[in-house]
Each structure stands twice: as structure tokens, then as C-alpha cells.
Amino acid sequence: MPSLEDELFPSTPGKFKIERAHTMNRQVYRCFASTSTMFLWALFLIALTASYLSFHSFVDSGSRYLSASWGGIQWEKQVRNSAQIHRNGGMSVLVTGAAGFVGTHVSLALKRRGDGVVGLDNFNNYYDPSLKRARKSLLNVHGIFIVEGDINDAKLLAKLFDVVAFTHVMHLAAQAGVRYAMENPHSYVHSNIAGLVTLLEACKSANPQPAVVWASSSSVYGLNEKVPFSEMDRTDQPASLYAATKKAGEEITHTYNHIYGLSITGLRFFTVYGPWGRPDMAYFSFTRNILQGKPITVYRGKNRVDLARDFTYIDDIVKGCVGSLDTSGKSTGSGGKKRGPAPYRIFNLGNTSPVTVPTLVSILERHLKVKAKRKIVDMPGNGDVPFTHANISYARRELGYKPTTDLQTGLKKFVKWYLSYYGYNHGKTVN
């Protein structure tokens, strides 16, 4: 006896037996013998199709609602609670990129002194998302709610500003990394330019308008050879797409300040390092490879000159970020219209003491008690620059910014965190 599958799907597709064809013709003839019967069948089929589509649309909408990562009464309650201010004269801050390296530290610093903090992060996979999730857990323990979403989501941003009247925005979300821009250039335009514009649109339309502090980069100095780098130096020769998008961000923010009265402060970070750092940074990857007995690649510049960086410890960067928020002044716009001039500032946040990369490696060797297998390679043309050196006199004068952690001390703290986080004991993984 043929199976049900055989009945429905013949072994020779499109070829039915003659007997079946005659039988089917007779059945069709009986069903549609009259015009009125055919009309009723048509109405029935239309009604059935409409009912199915309506039900499918209802289920699909319900599924989207249930799977949405934001929205709803409980979500709004979490946002409001996290944004609640617990000190006199405090601020309510939306921190983008809150599960990132700098974002986590800034969020914690603000929360600890009684400010309201709501985080926003898309948890992308530029580097291991599990590290971002771990940072999120750390923030949750301290009562900081992280909204999972993208800064390009205008509806989400509008909803956040509708739920909370943020006094400040600390914009740290960005596509980071100089070399990765050669692999995925569009991600830099998407995050660092389009995302910035989407956020600024939300800020200028908010009532009241928040003051905005955002992360530019020391990379904007590009091929500038005058040292130390000053905020007054030219920044029209970027050496990488990443630098170009950050420079574009400075021009874009100036426009929103000029047209809409947004108070805006840009911060040019100089090679930030420390606990909970980014795995793509040299000090982080060097530590990993040294412990695993793998060689590390140390680049050198022209004429065999060692590369040097103005390494800045995370706690010092946080002081600059918080100081910028505290002195930001107020935005002057209302309803998307400028009512008067508003502050526009750019600061270098560095350590002012450049250290060569080989010296960095030597410090790591001492703290790890493991010798590195160094592979010295000439620097390729991948967007890196041979040195960075910050002039911080403007930040010192306006923000009271004064870095206090040298590289020796900062790397000791980083190594301690690294060994604890990844479960190492004297260079051996703890089972």
C-alpha cells in the first residue's frame, strides 16, 4: 500500500496517472458546476486567507514585542531607578558604550558619588563580548542598568529621553581600533559618524537639552610631528580611517553646538590602559601571549626608532571625564532651536610622559615574571603613528586634570586584575 507521502508527491513529479486525472476532473466539475457555487467558494477562500494573514500578523507583532530588548513598564521602571540622583546637585547621565572599557569605569565613578547613570551598549563582537557581559554584571551589582541597543536606533534614543530628562550625555560608544579599519571600514562610518549624528539629533530635540561630553581621540593628530600635541595644533592629516572619523566627529559636534546650542566637550584620549581593558590593545595582547609562551610582535619606526606612546591609566582618564561633565555648562537650545551661545571645548587627556613599546614589554616581564619572546618588525603602513605625546595644560587649567599614575604602577594593577580575571596563578591557568 502506498504511503501518504507517495500519494501526495508522486515518484515522477508533474506526471499523474490518467485515472487520477479523470477522477479529479469529475470532482472539480461537481464542485464548480454553477456560477453561484464558484462565487461562494471564492468568498470563502478570500475570507480564509484574510483571517490567516491577520492572525499571522498578530502573532508576528506579538513575537517582536516579546523579543524586543527594550520597552514596557518594567523596562521603564529599571531605567528610571538607575537614573535616580542620590546627591545634592547631582546629575543624571546617559552613558553610551557603558559596557566598554572606559564606559564601565566612568559609570562606576559617577554612580559611587551619587549621580544617576543609565548605560547603553550594543555588545558587538569587535572583541570578546563575554568581557563586555562581565562588565555589565559588575555595573548591575552597583545598581546601573544597561540598555541593550544601538546608538543608531533613533526610536530607542527618543524613548530614553522621554523616560528620563538626562542632564548629561557621556558618549563613549564607538568603533575603536586603528588597524581594524582596513578590514571593516563601514563599521567606523556606521558607529563613529552616523551613530554620532543620530545621538546628537536626539540630544538637540530633547527638552531640556543635555550637555554632551564625548570621546574623540589622540589619533586626530595624525601625521603631526610637533610635540607635545596641543589642542591648537593642526589635525587635518589623519593617518587612519579611525582618525578621520574622529576628526569628522569634531566637526560635526561643532556644527550642532553652533546651530542648536548644545554644550559639547570633546576628549582626545591618549592610549588608555588598565583593568577591564580592551583585548585588542598592545599591552593586553602582550600579556596574554607572554603568559601563553607565544611570541609578541614589537613594531619599530623609521631608522629603527622605537615606537612610543603616552600611556594613560584609566583612573586618570576617568578624572578627566568626570571633570568635563562637572564643568560642561548648560545647553541653550529648546525645541531644537538655539537660544544663545553654548560651551564648545576640546581637551587632551594624556599622561605627558611617553614610554617606548620595548620599555612597556620589559615592565610586563617584571610583573609577570615571564620573559617575552620578542619579534621586532618594521611598522607597516596600517594607520599607526610612531609616537604620541599630550600637552595637557588646557585640561589642567580648566578641569583641574592631573594624572597621577605612572606606567610601572598602572601595569602592576592591570596584571593583578588580568591574573585574577582569567584565573592565572604564577603564569599557570587555574583549573
Side-chain angles (χ1 to χ4, degrees), residues 40 80 107 111-112 153 182 199 238 260 264 285 305 350 381 426:
L40 290 173
R80 288 194 182 96
S107 296
K111 195 69 174 181
R112 283 169 179 158
D153 189 341
M182 299 181 72
L199 178 65
Y260 302 110
I264 295 180
S285 62
V305 174
H426 303 298

Side-chain angles (χ1 to χ4, degrees), residues 30-32 35-47:
R30 291 193 188 104
C31 289
F32 302 107
T35 303
S36 59
T37 303
M38 186 179 295
F39 179 71
L40 290 173
W41 270 100
L43 285 178
F44 174 73
L45 290 173
I46 291 171

Side-chain angles (χ1 to χ4, degrees), residues 109-415:
L110 292 171
K111 195 69 174 181
R112 283 169 179 158
R113 71 175 196 171
D115 293 316
V117 180
V118 176
L120 175 63
D121 205 291
N122 68 358
F123 294 90
N124 68 24
N125 61 356
Y126 168 62
Y127 60 82
D128 185 8
S130 68
L131 180 57
K132 300 177 185 180
R133 297 288 176 188
R135 296 187 190 123
K136 178 185 177 182
S137 297
L138 176 64
L139 295 175
N140 289 159
V141 168
H142 288 81
I144 301 172
F145 181 59
I146 306 296
V147 176
E148 191 159 344
D150 196 284
I151 55 173
N152 280 284
D153 189 341
K155 291 183 179 179
L156 169 57
L157 293 176
K159 183 64 175 179
L160 284 169
F161 280 103
D162 181 57
V163 174
V164 176
F166 292 106
T167 60
H168 296 74
V169 170
M170 185 77 225
H171 178 44
L172 298 167
Q175 176 58 65
V178 170
R179 299 169 193 169
Y180 183 63
M182 299 181 72
E183 299 177 32
N184 189 4
H186 297 290
S187 66
Y188 289 79
V189 176
H190 177 75
S191 295
N192 301 356
I193 296 179
L196 175 62
V197 170
T198 304
L199 178 65
L200 291 174
E201 280 291 305
C203 291
K204 63 100 170 173
S205 300
N207 194 11
Q209 288 181 340
V212 179
V213 177
W214 74 288
S216 182
S217 171
S218 61
S219 296
V220 299
Y221 291 109
L223 302 178
N224 179 32
E225 295 182 352
K226 174 183 169 293
V227 291
F229 299 156
S230 166
E231 293 90 346
M232 300 304 293
D233 292 343
R234 61 185 297 182
T235 54
D236 58 353
Q237 293 179 300
S240 67
L241 179 61
Y242 169 70
T245 60
K246 286 299 185 179
K247 174 59 179 176
E250 292 185 353
E251 304 300 330
I252 291 168
T253 53
H254 184 274
T255 301
Y256 274 79
N257 166 264
H258 174 68
I259 297 177
Y260 302 110
L262 282 174
S263 167
I264 295 180
T265 302
L267 303 177
R268 294 173 178 171
F269 296 157
F270 281 73
T271 317
V272 190
Y273 73 99
W276 295 100
R278 279 178 22 217
D280 63 313
M281 297 292 286
Y283 73 94
F284 201 115
S285 62
F286 285 172
T287 300
R288 179 177 60 245
N289 289 345
I290 290 172
L291 287 170
Q292 294 176 356
K294 297 179 180 178
I296 62 172
T297 300
V298 179
Y299 293 115
R300 64 185 176 192
K302 294 179 180 179
N303 302 318
R304 306 171 72 87
V305 174
D306 292 330
L307 303 188
R309 292 288 181 269
D310 199 345
F311 295 101
T312 313
Y313 190 63
I314 182 61
D315 288 359
D316 292 326
I317 290 293
V318 170
K319 292 174 187 174
C321 291
V322 174
S324 296
L325 289 167
D326 288 341
T327 61
S328 62
K330 293 184 179 295
S331 294
T332 62
S334 177
K337 294 182 179 179
K338 181 178 180 179
R339 306 297 179 185
Y344 181 83
R345 310 176 300 172
I346 292 179
F347 295 109
N348 287 337
L349 294 185
N351 192 54
T352 74
S353 300
V355 177
T356 66
V357 175
T359 300
L360 165 75
V361 175
S362 296
I363 295 173
L364 285 174
E365 289 175 326
R366 286 197 294 273
H367 290 315
L368 294 170
K369 297 180 175 59
V370 180
K371 195 72 175 175
K373 300 176 181 177
R374 307 187 192 200
K375 180 182 178 183
I376 310 300
V377 177
D378 288 336
M379 184 176 68
N382 57 9
D384 273 330
V385 293
F387 57 85
T388 60
H389 185 183
N391 178 335
I392 61 169
S393 57
Y394 183 40
R396 183 182 289 117
R397 183 173 68 251
E398 298 294 319
L399 309 177
Y401 175 72
K402 184 179 179 181
T404 58
T405 307
D406 60 21
L407 188 60
Q408 177 81 23
T409 304
L411 284 179
K412 183 178 181 179
K413 293 179 179 180
F414 166 72
V415 167

